[in-house]
């Protein structure tokens, strides 16, 4: 039910933005470099993943200087850690994999192609997949995780008039991954995006 409500919220936002004339839709995707932030603890190590999805941008005026951009992204997060010893004498490796639907809503400035963005982000936990070299380790159950995460995102990038863009972004959570607390998602992202041209954009170019 939470998942359906999350998608409905996004659909309503897109319908509201569609009332404007400066609305463009697009697609984007890239790489995640994620781990968990744990208070007073160094590590764990970062884990590579992917992010991919759709976006919609509303521009306030023909100059496209002030914008609001909303995205719906599938985002693979998690971390990796080494601890203890295996039966062969090596370090046991534990990979925590968490797959989310991210909904960032960003204020975006376009300064002659150089872009700056920041805003809140809501995330819904879709699935959990852990791998562990130690067979005696008990994996947390799905009910041990918070389904919804509240966070933020901020980044910069460059965009050319035809709609191609490259963005580097940091996204962090202010709520905990687990019900009992103790860890929060921390993700660096590199993304390629493309905004589809509208009739007014084509005429201007």
């Amino acid at each position: 039910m939470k998942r359906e409500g999350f998608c409905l919220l996004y659909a309503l936002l897109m319908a509201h933005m569609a009332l404007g004339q400066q609305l463009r839709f697009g697609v984007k995707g890239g790489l995640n470099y994620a781990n968990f932030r744990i208070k007073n603890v160094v590590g764990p190590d970062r884990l590579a993943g992917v992010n991919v999805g759709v976006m919609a941008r509303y521009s306030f005026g023909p100059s496209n200087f002030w914008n609001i951009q909303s995205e719906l992204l599938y985002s693979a997060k998690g971390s990796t850690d080494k601890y203890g010893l295996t039966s062969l004498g090596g370090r046991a490796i534990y990979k925590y994999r968490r797959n989310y639907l991210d909904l960032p809503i960003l204020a975006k400035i376009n300064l002659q192609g150089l872009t700056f963005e920041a805003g809140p982000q809501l995330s819904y936990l879709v699935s959990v997949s852990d791998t562990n070299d130690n067979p005696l380790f008990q994996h947390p159950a799905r009910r041990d995780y918070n389904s919804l995460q509240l966070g933020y995102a901020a980044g910069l990038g460059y965009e050319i008039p035809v709609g191609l863009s490259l963005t580097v972004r940091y996204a962090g959570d202010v709520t905990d991954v687990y019900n009992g607390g103790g860890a929060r998602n921390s993700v660096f992202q590199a993304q390629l995006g493309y905004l589809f041209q509208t009739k007014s954009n084509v005429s201007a170019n």
Side-chain angles (χ1 to χ4, degrees):
M1 194 67 185
K2 289 182 179 179
R3 186 173 180 177
E4 287 78 2
F6 186 86
C7 294
L8 178 60
L9 174 64
Y10 184 78
L12 289 174
L13 178 63
M14 294 300 96
H16 175 72
M17 292 175 65
L19 297 176
Q21 297 180 352
Q22 301 293 329
L23 180 67
R24 299 175 68 183
F25 294 94
V27 294
K28 69 183 328 185
L31 298 176
N32 286 349
Y33 195 47
N35 74 348
F36 295 152
R37 287 187 294 110
I38 304 174
K39 189 176 182 180
N40 299 325
V41 174
V42 178
D45 296 330
R46 292 191 174 270
L47 182 68
V50 299
N51 64 82
V52 62
V54 295
M55 58 181 169
R57 182 188 299 173
Y58 181 82
S59 300
F60 296 93
S63 68
N64 297 325
F65 181 79
W66 294 106
N67 309 271
I68 291 181
Q69 181 166 299
S70 178
E71 304 170 2
L72 184 61
L73 304 173
Y74 171 85
S75 188
K77 307 176 186 179
S79 66
T80 183
D81 205 357
K82 296 180 181 179
Y83 59 94
L85 294 174
T86 66
S87 58
L88 299 178
R91 299 289 299 275
I93 299 176
Y94 189 11
K95 293 183 178 181
Y96 311 75
R97 300 183 187 276
R98 311 287 179 265
N99 300 313
Y100 289 85
L101 284 178
D102 287 344
L103 173 60
I105 301 177
L106 308 170
K108 193 177 186 85
I109 294 175
N110 188 330
L111 186 60
Q112 297 181 344
L114 185 63
T115 61
F116 304 88
E117 60 186 31
Q121 175 171 282
L122 184 65
S123 301
Y124 175 79
L125 179 62
V126 177
S127 63
V128 174
S129 176
D130 295 342
T131 58
N132 185 7
D133 290 345
N134 186 350
L136 300 179
F137 189 89
Q138 292 186 349
H139 294 213
R142 178 65 172 78
R143 63 177 178 274
D144 295 328
Y145 300 95
N146 288 318
S147 294
L148 292 177
Q149 302 290 323
L150 179 62
Y152 57 91
L156 56 85
Y158 189 79
E159 183 175 306
I160 60 178
V162 296
L164 287 172
S165 63
L166 173 64
T167 304
V168 178
R169 176 188 298 174
Y170 175 79
D173 287 346
V174 298
T175 53
D176 294 315
V177 173
Y178 301 101
N179 289 323
R184 297 178 181 181
N185 287 308
S186 170
V187 188
F188 290 98
Q189 297 178 315
Q191 302 169 319
L192 287 173
Y194 178 71
L195 283 170
F196 299 110
Q197 297 289 307
T198 64
K199 290 183 179 180
S200 59
N201 294 133
V202 173
S203 299
N205 293 334

